[in-house]
Amino acid sequence: MVATTPSDILRFLSACADEGVETVLVTLVAVIGGSSRGIGTQMAVAADGRRLGSFSGGCIEDAVVAEALETLSDGWGHVVRYGIGSPYIDLRLPCGGGIDLLFTPRPATASIRTALDLLEARQPAALRLECDRVTVAGDVEEVLWNGESLTHCYQPALRIHALGQGEDLTAFSRLANAFGAQVHALCPDIGTCMDLAALGIATTHIPVRTTLPLTASDRWSAIVFLFHGRDWEEHLLPQALALPAFYHGAIGSRRTHSARLEALQASSVPKEHIARLRGHVGLIPATRDPATLAISLLAELVAEYNTLAHWTYWTGETLAQADQ
């Protein structure tokens, strides 16, 4: 894991509750000018001084911790501005802007754990944040700060089902795992499965070319094929395209992809399933080595996953499309 995730903040709050340590949840509710963090960014501060999360490159975090500890002592939440317009004239943000932070002491453990349970079940969650309380929101819909509350949505973690063999699969799986994605590597080579499993990566052996050992996926998952030979795709790819995912992709040249599409059409795969398959994967064109391919593909997946995270509301049409 290269950085703190929103769910890490919630887990930190829950863990502190288990320890009997009081906490403060700090949420960025407004941005004035520029900011390196967006609205909804959070930080958790424990009564013993521990903290998780950040709002800058280290410019104001110590001040935020001090304010949070005072909030616990005072017993009531409030909003504080840092940067432009702040009463703390000695604290300035490098971007030159300002941010308003909501300090909510003693967030309800039950609400935090309900959100975590939903995320663990691969369901989105939303919390309504106020000065004096945190509650589970009835609708998974972002609601901006109105002076009294803000509703913040949390999305299930990025999960990647990567099918392939050789160094392309291992390089990509290792990089995605280091990034913090939930990686599931599916490979016909038992040795590769064992090597990846030793790194803590979930693996599944593919014993035959005709049956995909993956029966469940969701709209927060990506399915990528990293086989260089199309013989493993013939039966497995149509099955994968029938599963829900925000991204279906397979490596290969334009010529390879054209032949792939012809094979899918000849196999009577539904047109709407074929349309899900990307004609080009990754942000870097014509990659020639496993490391560059891994970076190129992971960057594209993260960018598209973040697009999901920035949806301000869920519509029946969007959910229906994602579940197709």
Side-chain angles (χ1 to χ4, degrees):
M1 182 70 66
V2 297
T4 302
T5 67
S7 58
D8 289 335
I9 301 291
L10 300 182
R11 281 190 284 269
F12 177 83
L13 295 171
S14 179
C16 287
D18 286 338
E19 299 170 11
V21 178
E22 293 185 326
T23 56
V24 176
L25 178 59
V26 190
T27 307
L28 197 163
V29 297
V31 174
I32 302 89
S35 171
S36 60
R37 300 289 190 271
I39 291 174
T41 299
Q42 294 181 314
M43 180 175 175
V45 180
D48 57 14
R50 286 177 294 164
R51 67 192 189 193
L52 192 67
S54 67
F55 297 110
S56 70
C59 307
I60 64 170
E61 276 66 27
D62 288 344
V64 171
V65 171
E67 187 76 32
L69 295 179
E70 288 186 15
T71 301
L72 274 179
S73 177
D74 294 340
W76 55 276
H78 56 290
V79 175
V80 177
R81 175 167 296 182
Y82 295 88
I84 290 178
S86 172
Y88 304 115
I89 60 175
D90 57 331
L91 294 175
R92 288 291 178 261
L93 299 177
C95 57
I99 57 175
D100 287 347
L101 301 182
L102 168 66
F103 290 78
T104 306
R106 304 174 182 87
T109 302
S111 297
I112 299 299
R113 289 177 176 167
T114 295
L116 285 171
D117 288 343
L118 287 169
L119 295 174
E120 183 65 25
R122 305 292 292 169
Q123 296 294 323
L127 294 176
R128 179 183 169 91
L129 311 168
E130 303 176 50
C131 288
D132 59 349
R133 61 179 178 169
V134 173
T135 55
V136 177
D139 297 320
V140 184
E141 178 179 350
E142 294 278 355
V143 179
L144 296 179
W145 176 249
N146 60 11
E148 296 182 357
S149 67
L150 170 143
T151 299
H152 183 53
C153 298
Y154 301 83
Q155 191 161 283
L158 168 62
R159 178 172 290 171
I160 304 172
H161 303 288
L163 298 88
Q165 55 190 156
E167 199 171 4
D168 283 354
L169 176 66
T170 58
F172 175 76
S173 298
R174 291 171 63 185
L175 182 65
N177 183 62
F179 170 76
Q182 295 181 358
V183 182
H184 175 205
L186 299 93
C187 180
D189 179 55
I190 293 179
T192 299
C193 288
M194 293 176 64
D195 290 342
L196 292 176
L199 298 174
I201 297 172
T203 62
T204 297
H205 178 236
I206 306 176
V208 295
R209 290 179 168 86
T210 55
T211 303
L212 178 68
L214 175 64
T215 58
S217 182
D218 56 50
R219 66 184 69 92
W220 297 280
S221 297
I223 302 176
V224 294
F225 276 68
L226 300 172
F227 290 109
H228 282 276
R230 288 192 45 248
D231 51 342
W232 281 100
E233 293 182 7
E234 181 180 0
H235 297 286
L236 301 184
L237 186 54
Q239 296 173 59
L241 290 174
L243 296 173
F246 73 87
Y247 185 105
H248 295 82
I251 62 173
S253 65
R254 287 188 176 88
R255 179 180 299 177
T256 297
H257 187 65
S258 178
R260 179 184 290 132
L261 293 179
E262 290 180 5
L264 289 171
Q265 292 165 357
S267 299
S268 300
V269 176
K271 291 182 179 180
E272 61 270 22
H273 289 189
I274 297 176
R276 296 172 179 170
L277 185 61
R278 304 301 178 97
H280 176 271
V281 299
L283 298 181
I284 303 173
T287 56
R288 289 290 184 267
D289 65 275
T292 304
L293 172 63
I295 293 172
S296 174
L297 179 54
L298 181 61
E300 183 174 48
L301 295 183
V302 171
E304 299 213 8
Y305 171 79
N306 286 344
T307 298
L308 297 179
H310 290 138
W311 284 346
T312 55
Y313 55 86
W314 304 82
T315 67
E317 179 182 5
T318 301
L319 290 174
Q321 291 173 344
D323 284 333
Q324 289 177 349

